[in-house]
């Protein structure tokens, strides 16, 4: 009898698709202990399947009842665990999806912010004898002096306008109420909203800030400290030298000398005047006599004229002679 039963017929029986003759054959087979192994193999291989034969307890063979009970004891927990695992996997998939989505949003936001914060800077260098006019992206104008350097962004972004200066420059700053304009010169910051002013920040020289219009705030800023040096209004200037602060008055018109290519000296030594001329004209000036270099002068020079005309004015005022040879000027 058992040899007439195969897996296909058992599965057909469990699915409720057998004919009356086939059902009788299977029921006889189920009484045979030899049927246990084949039936268990079929149920194990189809653990997730619902068999119609088990849906109506009253109409099935007692052996089928035993099989149902056996299957529920043996297969049921497996299905429950499987459902639990599937639920866990589904929840894990949801969380992974949320995490990946969040990471994607963060990455896009980070790269976008990084792109915005990576500002392209421009650097303008003037050698001795050269001056330049620079118009910034906010329409502010910088008159950069000779022997000076300015570093500034191609476009101002964010809520500040920061530039970096070595040397001298005169600024005409476009007013933007909520976007301060800050000039960095070493550890000193000069901050304005909209004004015109001049800064001199040369190595081994006092830092000088002069105001023509508006208001300027000058601070010294370190890694762990900050202190106010001055708040300047038109006609005021501050000198900061080795920690010492000196405030003075100045003619607002003189503050614009750099813009107008004027050189104004008030009780300045001829040595100091020569230092400025060397930078503006890219020449070398030496003195044969110390007494001449220490002589003081007050005058205004037009820096648009050739150097020999400047020297003629100085020689007449200082009662000295000079000689020009191979780009070098010797004052006797």
């Amino acid at each position: 009898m058992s040899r007439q039963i195969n897996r296909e017929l058992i599965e057909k029986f469990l699915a409720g698709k057998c004919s009356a003759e086939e059902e009788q054959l299977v029921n006889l087979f189920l009484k045979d202990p030899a049927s246990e192994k084949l039936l268990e193999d079929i149920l194990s291989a189809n653990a997730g399947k619902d068999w119609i034969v088990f849906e109506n307890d009253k109409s099935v063979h007692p052996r089928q009842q035993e099989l149902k009970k056996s299957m529920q004891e043996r297969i049921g927990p497996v299905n429950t665990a499987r459902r639990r695992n599937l639920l866990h996997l589904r929840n894990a998939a949801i969380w992974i999806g949320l995490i990946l989505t969040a990471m994607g949003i963060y990455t896009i936001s980070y790269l976008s912010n990084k792109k915005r914060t990576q500002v392209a800077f421009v650097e303008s260098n003037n050698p001795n004898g050269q001056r330049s006019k620079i118009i910034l992206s906010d329409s502010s104008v910088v008159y950069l002096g000779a022997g000076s350097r300015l570093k500034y962004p191609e476009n101002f972004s964010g809520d500040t306008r920061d530039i970096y200066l070595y040397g001298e420059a005169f600024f005409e700053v476009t007013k933007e109420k909520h976007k301060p304009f800050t000039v960095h010169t070493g550890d000193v910051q000069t901050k304005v909203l909209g004004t015109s002013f001049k800064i001199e920040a040369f190595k081994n020289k006092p830092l000088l800030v002069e105001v023509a219009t508006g208001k300027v705030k000058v601070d010294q800023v370190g890694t762990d400290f900050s202190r106010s040096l001055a708040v300047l209004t038109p006609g005021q200037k501050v000198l900061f030298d080795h920690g010492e602060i000196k405030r003075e008055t100045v003619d607002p018109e003189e503050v614009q000398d750099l813009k107008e290519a004027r050189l104004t000296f008030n009780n300045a030594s001829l040595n100091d005047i020569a230092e400025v001329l060397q930078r503006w004209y890219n020449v070398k000036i030496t003195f044969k006599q110390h007494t001449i270099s220490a002589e003081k002068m007050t005058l205004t020079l037009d820096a648009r004229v050739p150097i020999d005309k400047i020297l003629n004015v100085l020689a007449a005022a200082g009662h000295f002679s000079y000689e020009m040879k191979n780009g070098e000027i010797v004052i006797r």
Side-chain angles (χ1 to χ4, degrees), residues 36-59:
E36 182 72 22
K37 186 176 185 305
L38 177 59
L39 191 59
E40 286 187 357
D41 288 344
I42 294 172
L43 292 174
S44 296
N46 297 272
K49 192 170 182 179
D50 294 325
W51 300 108
I52 293 178
V53 74
F54 293 130
E55 290 181 357
N56 188 351
D57 294 347
K58 294 180 181 179
S59 63

Side-chain angles (χ1 to χ4, degrees), residues 95-110:
W95 278 107
I96 290 172
L98 290 173
I99 291 170
L100 290 176
T101 301
M103 289 177 64
I105 293 172
Y106 171 80
T107 301
I108 293 171
S109 176
Y110 171 77

Side-chain angles (χ1 to χ4, degrees), residues 272-284:
D272 290 340
I273 295 172
E275 210 172 270
V276 174
L277 292 177
Q278 287 182 120
R279 189 172 70 250
W280 276 65
Y281 285 92
N282 192 27
V283 294
K284 182 179 179 181

Side-chain angles (χ1 to χ4, degrees), residues 105-151:
I105 293 172
Y106 171 80
T107 301
I108 293 171
S109 176
Y110 171 77
L111 293 176
S112 178
N113 289 334
K114 187 175 181 182
K115 185 177 181 180
R116 284 197 299 269
T117 56
Q118 286 180 338
V119 180
F121 276 87
V122 178
E123 190 167 296
S124 295
N125 289 280
N126 285 349
N128 288 343
Q130 178 178 312
R131 301 183 304 279
S132 61
K133 176 182 177 181
I134 301 167
I135 301 177
L136 305 179
S137 63
D138 65 344
S139 299
S140 295
V141 181
V142 182
Y143 297 86
L144 187 64
S148 302
R149 181 172 64 251
L150 186 72
K151 183 179 178 182

Side-chain angles (χ1 to χ4, degrees), residues 35-252:
S35 67
E36 182 72 22
K37 186 176 185 305
L38 177 59
L39 191 59
E40 286 187 357
D41 288 344
I42 294 172
L43 292 174
S44 296
N46 297 272
K49 192 170 182 179
D50 294 325
W51 300 108
I52 293 178
V53 74
F54 293 130
E55 290 181 357
N56 188 351
D57 294 347
K58 294 180 181 179
S59 63
V60 299
H61 192 278
R63 175 58 177 158
Q64 295 171 346
Q65 293 283 15
E66 294 176 7
L67 291 172
K68 178 178 180 181
K69 182 178 179 182
S70 175
M71 186 180 74
Q72 288 173 335
E73 291 175 351
R74 182 166 50 83
I75 306 276
V78 174
N79 287 340
T80 302
R82 179 173 296 175
R83 284 193 297 269
R84 188 183 299 116
N85 289 337
L86 289 174
L87 181 61
H88 289 166
L89 288 173
R90 185 187 66 181
N91 290 339
I94 292 172
W95 278 107
I96 290 172
L98 290 173
I99 291 170
L100 290 176
T101 301
M103 289 177 64
I105 293 172
Y106 171 80
T107 301
I108 293 171
S109 176
Y110 171 77
L111 293 176
S112 178
N113 289 334
K114 187 175 181 182
K115 185 177 181 180
R116 284 197 299 269
T117 56
Q118 286 180 338
V119 180
F121 276 87
V122 178
E123 190 167 296
S124 295
N125 289 280
N126 285 349
N128 288 343
Q130 178 178 312
R131 301 183 304 279
S132 61
K133 176 182 177 181
I134 301 167
I135 301 177
L136 305 179
S137 63
D138 65 344
S139 299
S140 295
V141 181
V142 182
Y143 297 86
L144 187 64
S148 302
R149 181 172 64 251
L150 186 72
K151 183 179 178 182
Y152 56 95
E154 284 185 346
N155 293 286
F156 290 116
S157 61
D159 54 4
T160 61
R161 293 175 287 171
D162 295 278
I163 65 173
Y164 302 83
L165 170 70
Y166 169 81
E168 65 174 355
F170 177 77
F171 300 86
E172 292 179 333
V173 177
T174 300
K175 187 172 183 179
E176 291 190 26
K177 186 176 180 180
H178 301 293
K179 200 169 186 177
F181 186 100
T182 304
V183 183
H184 299 264
T185 48
D187 63 351
V188 175
Q189 298 178 0
T190 303
K191 185 177 294 186
V192 302
L193 290 176
T195 186
S196 58
F197 61 100
K198 178 186 177 184
I199 295 179
E200 288 185 12
F202 290 104
K203 187 177 181 180
N204 300 322
K205 292 285 185 180
L207 182 133
L208 169 67
V209 180
E210 301 174 323
V211 177
T213 62
K215 183 184 288 187
V216 166
K217 188 175 185 293
V218 185
D219 298 320
Q220 184 184 22
V221 180
T223 54
D224 56 356
F225 75 95
S226 175
R227 68 161 171 159
S228 176
L229 301 182
V231 176
L232 306 175
T233 55
Q236 295 182 333
K237 70 178 182 179
V238 64
L239 289 100
F240 182 60
D241 187 18
H242 296 93
E244 293 187 6
I245 304 170
K246 185 178 182 181
R247 295 184 56 156
E248 298 178 352
T249 59
V250 62
D251 185 346

